[in-house]
Amino acid sequence: MSAPGPPAEPTPPGSTTLVAEPDGEIPVLEGTGLASSWADLGDAVAQEQPDGLTIAFAAAGAGLDTLGAVTDPFDEVLSSGAGWLIEHVWFLREPLDALAGDPQQVIAQARTWSNIAAELRSIAVDQTATEVPGWSGQAGEAYRDAVHRYTRSVVDVAGQADGVADVVLGSGAAVGTVRALVRDLIADFLAWAVRQAISALAAATVTAGASTAVAVTAIALEAYRLARLITEHLARLLDELSDAGDTVGRLVDGMRHAVVEARPTASHMHESLEKVPAAEVTEAGKQVSGAELDEPPSEEPPAEEPPDR
């Protein structure tokens, strides 16, 4: 059983787009049960900074899948084959995505919000670095105060965008977990149904077809039980997503409030810049730059004259 991996690094500030695209690449062993679990464990251990909790969960999953394979290897082969087909055959994968969600799409949304937060922090840094040397007096102080208030609002919005990214990432993990569970339940059901069908066909000649009727009835009842179980898992997932949606709504409201507060400050910054004494500021900037670049001349002691003979 595979869980969604960590989101990719946020797009560097100043890039052409902030919208992250989902990772369309599906691991080769995805859906294969035992092999996929051991591959997940290997990936967790091979990380540059391994996380102990992630390794523990991956090891537990690999151990349970190994125990199941040892107990019933034929069932493991059938389940792994069915799970692999569900993940890699598009007309089987799309219904599962529609039913339980696509975690890669959710993770892409989390990356997008992380990109937005990084871009906002870059804007705040650029504004903070903007200085007007030589501009003193009440107007200059008012401008610098407006810049500080504006950058503080931008940083607040960036923090709330990071909060949205964290909530969306958690939702992606929940979607990925339920999706993998539903996939494995369907794969196990298909493997069990194949075994029932094989047994019924083998006994059909002896029972005059009665075994086939019994197998069909058993499969139908098991399918009904599976549908109820999947519905319960999806209902719990929807409750979690509803709570996450409420949290995101509060964060977005905070962002909207911060933007409304920042607008008058931006207007005040623009009006203040129109009052900048350009000639004085330019000359002051030259003097400051010259003072920083010019090095004081080195004082060498005068050469001593040779004594008269």
Side-chain angles (χ1 to χ4, degrees), residues 3-80:
E9 292 297 326
T11 303
S15 61
T16 56
T17 179
L18 299 177
V19 179
E21 295 295 332
D23 185 6
E25 183 180 354
I26 303 174
V28 176
L29 296 177
E30 184 68 17
T32 55
L34 177 62
S36 179
S37 296
W38 281 101
D40 291 342
L41 178 58
D43 291 341
V45 174
Q47 293 292 328
E48 293 183 2
Q49 296 180 347
D51 180 69
L53 189 61
T54 302
I55 294 175
F57 276 113
L64 291 175
D65 286 344
T66 302
L67 180 62
V70 171
T71 304
D72 193 345
F74 182 69
D75 184 69
E76 175 64 26
V77 170
L78 290 177
S79 297
S80 297

Side-chain angles (χ1 to χ4, degrees), residues 66-260:
T66 302
L67 180 62
V70 171
T71 304
D72 193 345
F74 182 69
D75 184 69
E76 175 64 26
V77 170
L78 290 177
S79 297
S80 297
W84 188 91
L85 289 174
I86 291 173
E87 287 292 352
H88 294 270
V89 178
W90 67 269
F91 62 83
L92 297 177
R93 178 183 175 87
E94 286 189 358
L96 179 61
D97 289 341
L99 176 66
D102 185 356
Q104 294 301 328
Q105 293 284 348
V106 183
I107 291 174
Q109 292 295 323
R111 291 168 55 195
T112 296
W113 281 104
S114 293
N115 294 341
I116 292 172
E119 184 69 17
L120 288 172
R121 288 195 173 90
S122 176
I123 293 173
V125 170
D126 291 342
Q127 291 293 333
T128 303
T130 303
E131 296 181 357
V132 185
W135 189 12
S136 58
Q138 185 176 1
E141 292 298 328
Y143 172 75
R144 280 183 284 273
D145 180 65
V147 169
H148 291 160
R149 285 186 282 116
Y150 178 77
T151 54
R152 186 166 59 247
S153 297
V154 172
V155 171
D156 288 343
V157 175
Q160 290 162 343
D162 273 334
V164 173
D166 291 340
V167 174
V168 175
L169 183 60
S171 300
V175 169
T177 301
V178 173
R179 184 186 181 284
L181 180 60
V182 170
R183 180 203 63 211
D184 291 345
L185 287 173
I186 295 174
D188 291 343
F189 167 75
L190 293 176
W192 176 83
V194 168
R195 296 185 63 175
Q196 293 295 317
I198 293 174
S199 299
L201 291 175
T205 55
V206 179
T207 60
S211 59
T212 304
V214 171
V216 170
T217 303
I219 292 173
L221 291 174
E222 183 64 18
Y224 173 73
R225 187 193 70 81
L226 175 63
R228 291 190 58 182
L229 183 60
I230 291 176
T231 301
E232 292 174 1
H233 286 300
L234 294 179
R236 285 195 291 269
L237 174 62
L238 291 176
D239 290 339
E240 293 181 16
L241 295 179
S242 177
D243 294 339
D246 293 339
T247 303
V248 169
R250 289 192 294 269
L251 289 170
V252 171
D253 287 341
M255 295 168 64
R256 187 180 295 111
H257 180 70
V259 169
V260 170

